[in-house]
Amino acid sequence: MTTATVPGPGTRPGTARPGTAGPAGGSGPLRLPPFPGRAFRARRTLRAYAELVRAPAAITVPGDVLAGALAAGRGTGPRTLGLAASSVCLYWAGMALNDWADRELDAVERPERPLPSGRIRPGAALATAAGLTAAGLGIAALAGGPRTVLRRTLPLAAAVWAYDLGAKATPLGPAVMAGARALDVLHGTGPAPVRPALVPAAAVAVHTLGLTRLSRHEVDGAPPREAALTLAAAAAAAAGTAHRGTGPAQAASLALYATSFGPALTRVLRDPAAPRVRGAVGAGIHALLPLQAALAARAGAPRVSVPLAAALPLVRRLSRKVSST
């Protein structure tokens, strides 16, 4: 039970409001019900978990699945949307597992993160990663059936866990992350052949490869060559997405991709300090949306590209409240 002295309209601090019980003389601390405290703790816990899984960044995940599904001719029906929901769960699982694996390093480099700050216990983070992985597999089974789980979802989940638990700290880390993101695109093909979706998978993988290399320098700053390599990777991803007969939707999406990511990389080239690098990494995560929009238009679905590109301002706004990196 919390006690507090709460001034009300027309009252002075320490004076009970009309109709409230206080000590003799009508003044004294006003006893409040426990619900506001519980609500505050619930909001604080919810925010901590949102930070743990980088919740807003998951907005960039369904576009991978949609790009793969559209390339394979599967459309955007309930089954595709179910696979997209499965991928979101696996993405969040990877983020939680990342913080669990990096908890000792984050205690030095990022003490404000949920685990080193004590807002979430390590065991709870690991349980969150396991639970979200199970949810992702279960949703995929409902949406795509056993063949999809075995051929698409399990390899994706394995890549996520392999990256966080081992590959991340090795020179192969960026390639494994790029492979995971490519598998996310192929996830959208379900039980269908993956060959038609290899081009969008490669475009997303190349973008992710450069971005992951750059993200390794978020704390100490990046050598100029890393920003140049990431810029080259982004240019390659855009070039691989474009094709003859590019329509207005694809052209607009590629222009948005360039303007949403290119300036941030240019700033890193001029000043490779850590804050610039973190800004560029965040911009690169968000730039996946216009890249996915261009891939959707490339597959002949310009109407799908519109909401993907339009989600860019939303994810930027949300990332100011909960960081994407």
Side-chain angles (χ1 to χ4, degrees):
M1 189 72 72
T2 304
T3 61
T5 302
V6 183
T11 65
R12 297 185 302 276
T15 304
R17 297 183 186 180
T20 60
S27 63
L30 179 66
R31 292 186 179 273
L32 299 176
F35 302 108
R38 291 178 183 174
F40 173 77
R41 288 194 295 272
R43 288 195 300 270
R44 185 175 60 183
T45 300
L46 183 62
R47 180 179 178 85
Y49 276 94
E51 291 180 23
L52 177 72
V53 300
R54 283 82 162 175
I59 296 174
T60 69
V61 174
D64 288 348
V65 176
L66 292 174
L70 291 168
R74 284 174 52 84
T76 58
R79 291 185 179 277
T80 297
L81 296 179
L83 292 177
S86 168
S87 286
V88 167
C89 288
L90 295 177
Y91 182 90
W92 280 340
M95 292 296 100
L97 187 63
N98 173 82
D99 275 24
W100 179 82
D102 283 355
R103 61 193 184 278
E104 294 181 0
L105 181 63
D106 283 346
V108 177
E109 296 182 346
R110 294 186 174 187
E112 75 282 358
R113 293 292 304 160
L115 268 65
S117 67
R119 288 176 291 154
I120 295 178
R121 290 177 289 107
L126 184 60
T128 298
L132 285 167
T133 300
L137 294 171
I139 294 170
L142 292 173
R147 289 179 59 193
T148 296
V149 173
L150 290 174
R151 296 183 180 184
R152 306 285 183 263
T153 319
L154 272 175
L156 173 58
V160 168
W161 281 71
Y163 175 80
D164 283 328
L165 296 184
K168 178 172 53 179
T170 73
L172 292 176
V176 174
M177 174 57 75
R181 202 81 198 207
L183 288 171
D184 197 35
V185 175
L186 300 181
H187 197 207
T189 65
V194 299
R195 185 173 180 178
L198 291 179
V199 169
V204 171
V206 169
H207 172 94
T208 305
L209 179 65
L211 184 61
T212 306
R213 285 182 60 101
L214 184 64
S215 71
R216 292 185 159 196
H217 304 281
E218 286 183 302
V219 175
D220 300 319
R225 69 176 183 276
E226 287 297 339
L229 286 170
T230 305
L231 189 58
T241 300
H243 68 106
R244 290 183 179 181
T246 297
Q250 188 179 18
S253 297
L254 287 174
L256 182 59
Y257 173 65
T259 57
S260 63
F261 194 21
L265 290 174
T266 302
R267 288 191 288 271
V268 175
L269 284 171
R270 293 198 302 261
D271 177 14
R276 298 278 193 182
V277 174
R278 286 194 293 272
V281 171
I285 293 172
H286 304 159
L288 278 163
L289 285 164
L291 180 62
Q292 294 158 351
L295 291 168
R298 185 183 194 276
R303 292 184 179 180
V304 177
S305 70
V306 173
L308 287 171
L312 181 59
L314 173 63
V315 72
R316 283 173 171 169
R317 185 162 57 251
L318 292 175
S319 69
R320 287 195 286 268
K321 298 181 179 181
V322 177
S323 174
S324 297
T325 65

